[in-house]
Amino acid sequence: MNEFVKIVEVGPRDGLQNEKTPLNLEQRKALILDLMRTGLKSIEVGSCVSAKWVPQMAQSDELYAQLPKMDGIGLSLLTPNIKGFEAALAVGCKEVAVFTAASESFTRKNINCSIDESFEKFADVIAAAQAHDIKVRGYVSCIVDCPYEGAIDPQQVAKVSKRLYDMGCYEISLGETIGTATPDRVKNVWNACLAELDSKVLAGHFHNTFGMAIANIYQSLEQGIRVFDSSISGLGGCPYAKGASGNISTEDLYYLLSKMGFETGIDLDALMQASHNISQVLNRQNPSNFATAYWQNQRD
Ligand code: HMG
Ligand code: MG
């Protein structure tokens, strides 16, 4: 049996949060229903954040409520504070994610507080989540570079990650938010984090602005990381990281992992159908190299 690598599909959240023209609820739901047919085991549905800050993610709780719940497919919502958590709880959500950063300036721009203050808010979220048997994932942004502060010390990434884990997050996703990292620098970050935490509780979240995400994922695999976030058709970016492009596409990640002999549980035909449908809705060329080659082969 091949070793399993978990893919966390973040397109409906990280992808769509950055669209200039927000998709409506029906379009967001259609994307997630497509993704639920692909064999993906974890899908981020949206964020319970202020609609004034991120209008694209408005009504994520309602969207969650409208989705079918299926054994073996985890659906999650981002909840930066107790207000967001209560919205997720009210619709029966079983997994939420809190998010902070290794950079003070980014945390301030993204969630309007310091790193320490973000942990005060998370303490409330995690206590409430534990009381309701809800899993909490943690995100650390700016693990290599920050758009406001430049290079980030890997020890700071390790410190924030360990703090999230000690507080009760079951998995910490390390966000290479602006996609500037190269594998040598990613290696240093994992070395610092792996000195504090087991590889089993760490995940990689790589944006692809400079085309380095797949190289950074290969580096992460070499260091034992077995959970990666990706976005169908490479959608997305972060509204508070100007110029940052989408995550590694789920299509390219699937290709790397399957060719390297890892099991992902993904059905390729269903994945490509989802990929095709969202590209049609957005009327956009898919930046995934694998998707381009796949459709070219289908035509030939
Ligand atoms: P704030 O203004 O400091 O919050 O925002 P506040 O507590 O002072 O409240 C102000 C208003 O927001 C009030 O409403 C609250 O009710 C409302 P008003 O009285 O003005 O009408 N409010 C909320 N509404 C809905 N849901 C909530 C909520 N909380 C307060 N949960 C807040 C703080 C965190 C809400 C704000 O800064 C925010 O929404 N930020 C958006 C953050 C975000 O979604 N960023 C993108 C996701 S993170 C990411 O992309 C990085 C990642 O992908 C990893 C990587 O790539 O690095 C994860
Ligand atoms: Mg991201």
Side-chain angles (χ1 to χ4, degrees), residues 13-14 205 207 237 247:
R13 193 279 303 169
D14 205 341
H205 176 111
H207 284 265
N247 298 79

Side-chain angles (χ1 to χ4, degrees), residues 113-142:
C113 62
S114 67
I115 297 173
D116 279 344
E117 285 162 352
S118 75
F119 275 92
E120 285 167 25
K121 294 172 203 274
F122 301 163
D124 295 343
V125 171
I126 292 169
Q130 285 171 346
H132 291 91
D133 211 14
I134 292 172
K135 287 164 75 179
V136 185
R137 192 175 201 234
Y139 275 107
V140 182
S141 287
C142 302

Side-chain angles (χ1 to χ4, degrees), residues 8-241:
V8 178
E9 170 61 50
V10 297
R13 193 279 303 169
D14 205 341
L16 298 187
Q17 75 182 9
N18 213 37
E19 282 302 316
K20 280 199 178 64
T21 310
L23 295 197
N24 64 37
L25 221 50
E26 278 310 308
Q27 291 168 317
R28 290 166 68 191
K29 183 175 167 187
L31 169 63
I32 297 170
L33 291 175
D34 275 350
L35 292 167
M36 290 176 83
R37 291 184 200 105
T38 62
L40 282 159
K41 311 243 174 299
S42 300
I43 303 171
E44 257 182 14
V45 169
S47 314
C48 295
V49 296
S50 163
K52 284 184 198 145
W53 284 63
V54 189
Q56 294 91 334
M57 289 292 103
Q59 297 176 292
S60 288
D61 49 349
E62 197 176 323
L63 173 59
Y64 181 95
Q66 288 184 19
L67 293 168
K69 310 300 175 304
M70 288 160 67
D71 282 347
I73 305 183
L75 301 174
S76 61
L77 288 165
L78 259 59
T79 59
N81 54 19
I82 198 70
K83 188 175 169 77
F85 176 80
E86 278 162 2
L89 178 67
V91 292
C93 185
K94 299 278 181 277
E95 178 170 343
V96 298
V98 294
F99 49 103
T100 187
S103 143
E104 283 294 351
S105 319
F106 184 83
T107 310
R108 176 68 60 191
K109 294 268 187 203
N110 195 31
I111 50 175
N112 202 24
C113 62
S114 67
I115 297 173
D116 279 344
E117 285 162 352
S118 75
F119 275 92
E120 285 167 25
K121 294 172 203 274
F122 301 163
D124 295 343
V125 171
I126 292 169
Q130 285 171 346
H132 291 91
D133 211 14
I134 292 172
K135 287 164 75 179
V136 185
R137 192 175 201 234
Y139 275 107
V140 182
S141 287
C142 302
I143 61 157
V144 173
D145 285 324
C146 165
Y148 312 103
E149 290 181 15
I152 298 293
D153 180 358
Q155 295 303 330
Q156 166 70 356
V157 180
K159 194 173 124 195
V160 176
S161 302
K162 174 87 164 49
R163 201 167 160 191
L164 281 173
Y165 182 74
D166 288 346
M167 202 172 231
C169 293
Y170 78 96
E171 185 170 278
I172 317 299
S173 176
L174 266 53
E176 209 284 273
T177 315
I178 57 173
T180 50
T182 43
D184 52 327
R185 299 177 73 203
V186 168
K187 182 178 180 182
N188 293 338
V189 174
W190 288 129
N191 281 341
C193 292
L194 289 166
E196 300 289 340
L197 293 165
D198 194 290
S199 62
K200 288 192 181 62
V201 305
L202 292 166
H205 176 111
F206 292 99
H207 284 265
N208 200 28
T209 319
F210 286 84
M212 291 292 111
I214 208 78
N216 292 332
I217 290 169
Y218 182 80
Q219 175 61 44
S220 310
L221 285 164
E222 288 281 286
Q223 289 177 267
I225 305 304
R226 293 291 181 268
V227 183
F228 295 98
D229 302 350
S230 64
S231 180
I232 190 78
S233 302
L235 300 175
C238 177
Y240 303 102

